[in-house]
Amino acid sequence: MTATTDTTTTTGIPDLYPTRGASEVLTPRQDPVVWGAPDAPGPIVPADLLSFERDGFLAIEELITDDEVAVYRDELNRLVNDPDIRADERSIVEPKSKEIRSVFEVHKISEVFARLVRDERVVGRARQILGSDVYVHQSRINVKPGFGASGFYWHSDFETWHAEDGLPRMRTVSVSIALTENYDTNGGLMIMPGSHKTFLGCAGETPKDNYKKSLQMQDAGTPSDEALTRFATEHGIKLFTGKAGSATWFDCNCMHGSGDNITPFPRSNVFIVFNSVENTAVEPFAAPVRRPEFIGARDFTPVK
Protein backbone atom coordinates (compact mmCIF):
# COMPACT_ATOMS: atom_id res chain seq x y z
CA MET A 1 0.00 0.00 0.00
CA THR A 2 1.16 3.51 -0.78
CA ALA A 3 0.05 6.98 0.22
CA THR A 4 -1.43 9.20 -2.42
CA THR A 5 -2.44 12.78 -3.13
CA ASP A 6 -5.57 14.07 -4.84
CA THR A 7 -6.05 14.13 -8.58
CA THR A 8 -8.62 15.93 -10.71
CA THR A 9 -11.43 14.27 -12.63
CA THR A 10 -12.32 15.03 -16.23
CA THR A 11 -15.19 17.18 -14.93
CA GLY A 12 -12.72 19.40 -13.07
CA ILE A 13 -13.87 18.26 -9.61
CA PRO A 14 -10.95 17.32 -7.37
CA ASP A 15 -10.79 13.63 -6.52
CA LEU A 16 -9.51 13.78 -2.96
CA TYR A 17 -9.88 10.03 -2.45
CA PRO A 18 -8.54 7.97 -5.37
CA THR A 19 -9.66 4.34 -5.44
CA ARG A 20 -10.21 1.34 -7.75
CA GLY A 21 -6.76 1.69 -9.31
CA ALA A 22 -3.91 -0.73 -9.92
CA SER A 23 -3.05 -1.02 -6.23
CA GLU A 24 -4.36 -0.11 -2.78
CA VAL A 25 -3.56 3.39 -1.60
CA LEU A 26 -3.90 5.15 1.74
CA THR A 27 -5.09 8.76 1.87
CA PRO A 28 -5.30 10.74 5.11
CA ARG A 29 -8.78 12.10 5.65
CA GLN A 30 -9.13 15.51 3.98
CA ASP A 31 -12.44 16.47 5.62
CA PRO A 32 -13.80 17.19 9.10
CA VAL A 33 -15.60 14.42 10.95
CA VAL A 34 -18.01 16.73 12.75
CA TRP A 35 -18.90 19.60 10.41
CA GLY A 36 -21.20 21.41 12.82
CA ALA A 37 -20.03 23.65 15.68
CA PRO A 38 -19.34 21.74 18.92
CA ASP A 39 -21.93 23.84 20.77
CA ALA A 40 -24.55 23.79 18.01
CA PRO A 41 -28.03 23.02 19.37
CA GLY A 42 -29.32 19.52 18.82
CA PRO A 43 -29.94 16.11 20.40
CA ILE A 44 -26.20 15.26 20.73
CA VAL A 45 -24.37 16.69 23.74
CA PRO A 46 -20.86 18.15 23.13
CA ALA A 47 -19.08 15.26 24.89
CA ASP A 48 -20.73 12.76 22.56
CA LEU A 49 -19.78 14.83 19.52
CA LEU A 50 -16.16 14.68 20.67
CA SER A 51 -16.48 10.92 21.06
CA PHE A 52 -17.89 10.68 17.53
CA GLU A 53 -15.00 12.79 16.23
CA ARG A 54 -12.47 10.47 17.90
CA ASP A 55 -14.00 7.05 17.26
CA GLY A 56 -16.18 7.61 14.20
CA PHE A 57 -19.32 6.27 15.86
CA LEU A 58 -21.84 6.95 18.60
CA ALA A 59 -23.98 4.26 20.23
CA ILE A 60 -27.34 5.21 21.74
CA GLU A 61 -29.06 2.78 24.11
CA GLU A 62 -32.61 3.88 23.28
CA LEU A 63 -33.26 6.01 20.24
CA ILE A 64 -36.85 4.83 19.87
CA THR A 65 -39.23 3.31 22.43
CA ASP A 66 -40.47 -0.27 22.70
CA ASP A 67 -43.88 0.77 21.39
CA GLU A 68 -42.26 2.42 18.37
CA VAL A 69 -40.07 -0.63 17.76
CA ALA A 70 -43.22 -2.76 17.51
CA VAL A 71 -44.66 -0.43 14.86
CA TYR A 72 -41.49 -0.43 12.75
CA ARG A 73 -40.99 -4.17 13.10
CA ASP A 74 -44.56 -4.83 11.97
CA GLU A 75 -43.93 -2.60 8.96
CA LEU A 76 -40.69 -4.42 8.18
CA ASN A 77 -42.50 -7.75 8.31
CA ARG A 78 -45.27 -6.40 6.09
CA LEU A 79 -42.77 -5.27 3.48
CA VAL A 80 -40.70 -8.45 3.32
CA ASN A 81 -43.85 -10.59 3.05
CA ASP A 82 -45.46 -8.48 0.32
CA PRO A 83 -45.14 -10.27 -3.07
CA ASP A 84 -45.11 -6.94 -4.90
CA ILE A 85 -42.20 -5.71 -2.78
CA ARG A 86 -40.33 -8.97 -3.32
CA ALA A 87 -40.72 -8.57 -7.09
CA ASP A 88 -39.49 -4.97 -6.96
CA GLU A 89 -35.91 -4.29 -8.06
CA ARG A 90 -35.38 -2.52 -4.73
CA SER A 91 -35.51 -5.88 -2.93
CA ILE A 92 -32.28 -7.87 -2.64
CA VAL A 93 -32.50 -11.59 -1.89
CA GLU A 94 -30.08 -13.98 -0.22
CA PRO A 95 -28.07 -15.96 -2.84
CA LYS A 96 -28.75 -19.33 -1.17
CA SER A 97 -32.06 -19.13 0.69
CA LYS A 98 -33.65 -16.64 -1.75
CA GLU A 99 -35.13 -14.82 1.24
CA ILE A 100 -35.18 -11.03 1.23
CA ARG A 101 -31.92 -9.60 2.52
CA SER A 102 -32.59 -5.87 2.07
CA VAL A 103 -35.30 -3.54 0.80
CA PHE A 104 -34.01 -0.18 -0.43
CA GLU A 105 -35.66 3.23 -0.52
CA VAL A 106 -38.01 2.31 2.33
CA HIS A 107 -38.62 5.97 3.14
CA LYS A 108 -40.32 6.24 -0.27
CA ILE A 109 -42.05 2.86 -0.19
CA SER A 110 -43.42 3.27 3.34
CA GLU A 111 -44.89 6.31 5.07
CA VAL A 112 -44.12 4.60 8.39
CA PHE A 113 -40.39 4.72 7.66
CA ALA A 114 -40.72 8.16 6.05
CA ARG A 115 -41.92 9.47 9.42
CA LEU A 116 -38.89 7.92 11.10
CA VAL A 117 -36.55 9.72 8.69
CA ARG A 118 -38.22 13.05 9.56
CA ASP A 119 -38.14 12.39 13.32
CA GLU A 120 -36.01 15.05 15.02
CA ARG A 121 -34.28 12.39 17.12
CA VAL A 122 -32.98 11.01 13.82
CA VAL A 123 -32.58 13.85 11.31
CA GLY A 124 -31.63 16.32 14.04
CA ARG A 125 -28.53 14.29 14.89
CA ALA A 126 -27.59 14.10 11.22
CA ARG A 127 -27.85 17.87 10.82
CA GLN A 128 -25.78 18.38 13.94
CA ILE A 129 -22.95 16.12 12.74
CA LEU A 130 -22.93 17.36 9.15
CA GLY A 131 -23.48 21.04 9.94
CA SER A 132 -26.15 21.64 7.30
CA ASP A 133 -29.51 20.53 6.00
CA VAL A 134 -29.43 16.92 4.86
CA TYR A 135 -31.13 14.63 2.37
CA VAL A 136 -31.42 10.84 2.29
CA HIS A 137 -28.70 9.34 0.12
CA GLN A 138 -29.91 5.82 0.87
CA SER A 139 -32.38 4.02 3.11
CA ARG A 140 -33.08 0.36 3.56
CA ILE A 141 -34.25 -2.32 5.91
CA ASN A 142 -31.81 -5.16 6.51
CA VAL A 143 -33.18 -8.56 7.42
CA LYS A 144 -30.82 -11.12 8.86
CA PRO A 145 -32.93 -14.11 9.92
CA GLY A 146 -31.42 -16.94 11.93
CA PHE A 147 -29.94 -20.18 10.71
CA GLY A 148 -27.50 -18.92 8.13
CA ALA A 149 -28.20 -15.39 6.90
CA SER A 150 -24.98 -14.07 5.42
CA GLY A 151 -23.06 -11.06 6.70
CA PHE A 152 -21.52 -8.00 5.08
CA TYR A 153 -17.77 -8.17 4.50
CA TRP A 154 -15.40 -5.44 5.74
CA HIS A 155 -15.69 -2.21 3.78
CA SER A 156 -15.91 1.57 3.94
CA ASP A 157 -19.26 2.83 2.70
CA PHE A 158 -17.66 6.03 1.47
CA GLU A 159 -15.32 4.05 -0.79
CA THR A 160 -18.36 2.76 -2.67
CA TRP A 161 -20.37 5.99 -2.48
CA HIS A 162 -17.40 7.95 -3.82
CA ALA A 163 -16.40 5.46 -6.49
CA GLU A 164 -19.85 4.43 -7.73
CA ASP A 165 -22.27 7.19 -6.63
CA GLY A 166 -20.06 10.26 -6.98
CA LEU A 167 -20.12 11.68 -3.45
CA PRO A 168 -17.17 14.13 -3.47
CA ARG A 169 -16.48 14.62 0.25
CA MET A 170 -16.78 12.73 3.52
CA ARG A 171 -19.86 14.61 4.68
CA THR A 172 -22.22 11.70 5.10
CA VAL A 173 -23.40 9.83 8.20
CA SER A 174 -25.35 6.62 8.72
CA VAL A 175 -27.61 5.37 11.48
CA SER A 176 -28.48 1.74 12.09
CA ILE A 177 -31.54 1.35 14.32
CA ALA A 178 -32.06 -2.10 15.81
CA LEU A 179 -35.54 -3.58 15.40
CA THR A 180 -34.54 -6.84 17.09
CA GLU A 181 -32.06 -7.42 19.89
CA ASN A 182 -28.41 -7.35 18.83
CA TYR A 183 -26.56 -10.10 20.68
CA ASP A 184 -22.83 -10.75 20.47
CA THR A 185 -23.65 -13.89 18.47
CA ASN A 186 -26.26 -13.00 15.82
CA GLY A 187 -24.20 -11.12 13.27
CA GLY A 188 -24.00 -7.66 14.81
CA LEU A 189 -22.28 -4.58 13.42
CA MET A 190 -18.49 -4.38 13.91
CA ILE A 191 -16.48 -1.17 13.47
CA MET A 192 -12.75 -0.43 13.72
CA PRO A 193 -12.64 2.67 15.98
CA GLY A 194 -10.62 5.50 14.45
CA SER A 195 -10.44 3.89 11.02
CA HIS A 196 -12.49 6.79 9.62
CA LYS A 197 -9.40 9.01 9.75
CA THR A 198 -7.73 7.14 6.84
CA PHE A 199 -9.24 6.40 3.44
CA LEU A 200 -8.31 3.03 1.97
CA GLY A 201 -8.48 3.17 -1.81
CA CYS A 202 -9.08 -0.35 -3.06
CA ALA A 203 -7.46 -2.08 -6.02
CA GLY A 204 -9.28 -3.21 -9.14
CA GLU A 205 -11.66 -1.66 -11.64
CA THR A 206 -15.42 -1.44 -11.08
CA PRO A 207 -17.40 -3.80 -13.33
CA LYS A 208 -20.47 -2.40 -15.07
CA ASP A 209 -23.63 -2.91 -13.01
CA ASN A 210 -21.44 -3.99 -10.10
CA TYR A 211 -24.27 -3.26 -7.68
CA LYS A 212 -26.21 -6.34 -8.86
CA LYS A 213 -23.50 -8.56 -7.42
CA SER A 214 -22.11 -6.39 -4.61
CA LEU A 215 -25.44 -6.08 -2.79
CA GLN A 216 -25.42 -9.83 -2.33
CA MET A 217 -21.68 -10.43 -2.03
CA GLN A 218 -19.08 -7.68 -1.91
CA ASP A 219 -16.25 -7.95 -4.45
CA ALA A 220 -15.11 -4.67 -6.01
CA GLY A 221 -14.17 -2.22 -3.29
CA THR A 222 -13.05 -4.96 -0.91
CA PRO A 223 -9.87 -4.33 1.11
CA SER A 224 -7.05 -6.84 1.02
CA ASP A 225 -6.30 -9.15 3.93
CA GLU A 226 -3.06 -7.23 4.47
CA ALA A 227 -4.87 -3.90 4.74
CA LEU A 228 -7.56 -5.27 7.05
CA THR A 229 -4.94 -6.84 9.30
CA ARG A 230 -3.12 -3.52 9.49
CA PHE A 231 -6.30 -1.58 10.28
CA ALA A 232 -7.51 -4.09 12.87
CA THR A 233 -4.11 -4.20 14.57
CA GLU A 234 -3.97 -0.41 14.75
CA HIS A 235 -7.60 0.31 15.66
CA GLY A 236 -9.08 -2.85 17.16
CA ILE A 237 -12.64 -4.01 16.55
CA LYS A 238 -15.77 -2.90 18.41
CA LEU A 239 -18.85 -5.16 18.32
CA PHE A 240 -22.19 -3.45 18.93
CA THR A 241 -24.87 -5.12 21.00
CA GLY A 242 -28.09 -3.70 22.36
CA LYS A 243 -31.80 -4.13 22.70
CA ALA A 244 -34.32 -3.30 20.01
CA GLY A 245 -34.62 0.47 19.78
CA SER A 246 -30.91 1.09 20.25
CA ALA A 247 -28.96 2.76 17.48
CA THR A 248 -25.45 3.25 16.18
CA TRP A 249 -24.45 6.39 14.30
CA PHE A 250 -21.26 6.02 12.29
CA ASP A 251 -19.14 8.06 9.91
CA CYS A 252 -19.20 7.19 6.22
CA ASN A 253 -15.53 6.16 6.17
CA CYS A 254 -15.56 3.74 9.11
CA MET A 255 -14.19 0.31 8.26
CA HIS A 256 -17.06 -1.97 9.28
CA GLY A 257 -18.80 -5.25 8.57
CA SER A 258 -20.91 -7.97 10.14
CA GLY A 259 -20.75 -11.72 10.40
CA ASP A 260 -23.20 -14.44 9.38
CA ASN A 261 -26.11 -15.15 11.68
CA ILE A 262 -26.12 -18.87 12.42
CA THR A 263 -28.12 -18.47 15.64
CA PRO A 264 -31.89 -18.96 15.88
CA PHE A 265 -32.27 -15.27 16.75
CA PRO A 266 -33.01 -12.86 13.89
CA ARG A 267 -31.25 -9.51 13.57
CA SER A 268 -33.11 -6.82 11.65
CA ASN A 269 -32.51 -3.09 11.43
CA VAL A 270 -33.44 0.03 9.53
CA PHE A 271 -30.48 1.81 7.98
CA ILE A 272 -30.59 5.47 6.92
CA VAL A 273 -27.81 7.41 5.22
CA PHE A 274 -27.91 11.20 5.43
CA ASN A 275 -25.75 13.35 3.16
CA SER A 276 -25.20 17.09 3.36
CA VAL A 277 -27.06 19.20 0.80
CA GLU A 278 -23.65 20.87 0.27
CA ASN A 279 -22.11 17.54 -0.81
CA THR A 280 -24.48 16.40 -3.53
CA ALA A 281 -23.50 13.57 -5.85
CA VAL A 282 -21.70 14.17 -9.14
CA GLU A 283 -20.63 11.58 -11.71
CA PRO A 284 -18.94 8.46 -10.27
CA PHE A 285 -15.24 8.86 -9.53
CA ALA A 286 -14.32 5.24 -10.31
CA ALA A 287 -17.15 3.47 -12.09
CA PRO A 288 -18.38 3.40 -15.69
CA VAL A 289 -22.00 4.30 -14.79
CA ARG A 290 -24.00 5.54 -11.83
CA ARG A 291 -25.80 3.09 -9.61
CA PRO A 292 -29.62 3.23 -9.68
CA GLU A 293 -31.20 6.10 -7.77
CA PHE A 294 -32.84 3.78 -5.24
CA ILE A 295 -29.31 2.96 -4.05
CA GLY A 296 -27.61 6.33 -4.55
CA ALA A 297 -30.16 9.14 -4.56
CA ARG A 298 -30.19 11.98 -7.07
CA ASP A 299 -33.07 13.72 -5.33
CA PHE A 300 -31.33 16.21 -3.06
CA THR A 301 -34.46 17.60 -1.40
CA PRO A 302 -33.71 18.42 2.25
CA VAL A 303 -35.50 16.38 4.90
CA LYS A 304 -38.06 18.60 6.63
Side-chain angles (χ1 to χ4, degrees):
M1 291 182 293
T2 59
T4 188
T5 57
D6 68 274
T7 59
T8 301
T9 65
T10 55
T11 60
I13 299 172
D15 182 359
L16 301 180
Y17 302 103
T19 190
R20 311 281 174 102
S23 60
E24 287 184 323
V25 292
L26 296 176
T27 303
R29 187 186 184 105
Q30 306 293 301
D31 294 307
V33 178
V34 176
W35 290 73
D39 57 351
I44 308 176
V45 300
D48 285 343
L49 278 176
L50 288 174
S51 176
F52 184 88
E53 164 78 33
R54 181 189 67 238
D55 297 327
F57 59 80
L58 177 64
I60 299 172
E61 290 185 6
E62 183 181 286
L63 182 66
I64 58 176
T65 67
D66 290 344
D67 288 344
E68 291 170 313
V69 167
V71 172
Y72 295 123
R73 192 157 55 207
D74 285 348
E75 181 69 352
L76 179 148
N77 290 331
R78 183 188 73 81
L79 292 174
V80 299
N81 289 298
D82 184 333
D84 290 336
I85 297 296
R86 183 181 180 84
D88 194 293
E89 66 173 346
R90 291 173 287 191
S91 293
I92 309 302
V93 299
E94 287 280 354
K96 294 181 180 179
S97 69
K98 302 304 179 183
E99 293 184 11
I100 286 183
R101 173 188 179 97
S102 301
V103 179
F104 281 82
E105 217 170 40
V106 289
H107 71 295
K108 292 189 175 181
I109 293 175
S110 163
E111 178 54 33
V112 173
F113 285 115
R115 290 197 299 269
L116 178 63
V117 166
R118 297 191 298 265
D119 191 308
E120 187 61 25
R121 293 169 296 178
V122 178
V123 70
R125 284 179 165 87
R127 293 191 191 108
Q128 208 174 348
I129 292 169
L130 301 181
S132 70
D133 278 336
V134 298
Y135 71 93
V136 177
H137 177 69
Q138 184 186 105
S139 73
R140 67 178 187 260
I141 47 175
N142 291 327
V143 184
K144 191 179 281 190
F147 303 112
S150 55
F152 293 85
Y153 197 67
W154 291 105
H155 63 287
S156 154
D157 286 331
F158 180 75
E159 194 279 335
T160 297
W161 298 338
H162 182 69
E164 299 185 40
D165 296 340
L167 293 192
R169 310 294 292 265
M170 293 182 183
R171 200 171 180 178
T172 314
V173 67
S174 302
V175 60
S176 174
I177 305 172
L179 300 182
T180 54
E181 183 147 1
N182 283 235
Y183 302 102
D184 59 2
T185 53
N186 66 340
L189 173 67
M190 297 180 287
I191 294 178
M192 298 183 186
S195 59
H196 62 304
K197 297 292 184 73
T198 303
F199 178 73
L200 176 61
C202 296
E205 293 184 353
T206 308
K208 185 178 179 181
D209 292 337
N210 177 56
Y211 77 94
K212 293 180 179 179
K213 180 180 179 182
S214 67
L215 295 178
Q216 293 182 326
M217 188 66 66
Q218 187 84 0
D219 188 9
T222 301
S224 68
D225 291 352
E226 175 194 20
L228 289 172
T229 300
R230 176 174 173 174
F231 269 54
T233 300
E234 180 176 349
H235 300 293
I237 296 173
K238 165 72 175 176
L239 170 66
F240 293 87
T241 59
K243 69 173 188 175
S246 62
T248 305
W249 289 86
F250 58 102
D251 179 81
C252 58
N253 191 46
C254 284
M255 189 65 69
H256 67 287
S258 64
D260 296 350
N261 182 14
I262 62 172
T263 76
F265 310 114
R267 176 184 173 263
S268 298
N269 69 296
V270 54
F271 180 75
I272 306 164
V273 180
F274 293 100
N275 188 39
S276 169
V277 296
E278 300 172 9
N279 187 47
T280 53
V282 295
E283 291 305 310
F285 286 86
V289 294
R290 304 174 180 178
R291 297 195 298 175
E293 292 191 26
F294 68 83
I295 302 175
R298 297 281 162 169
D299 177 356
F300 309 133
T301 306
V303 176
K304 298 293 186 183

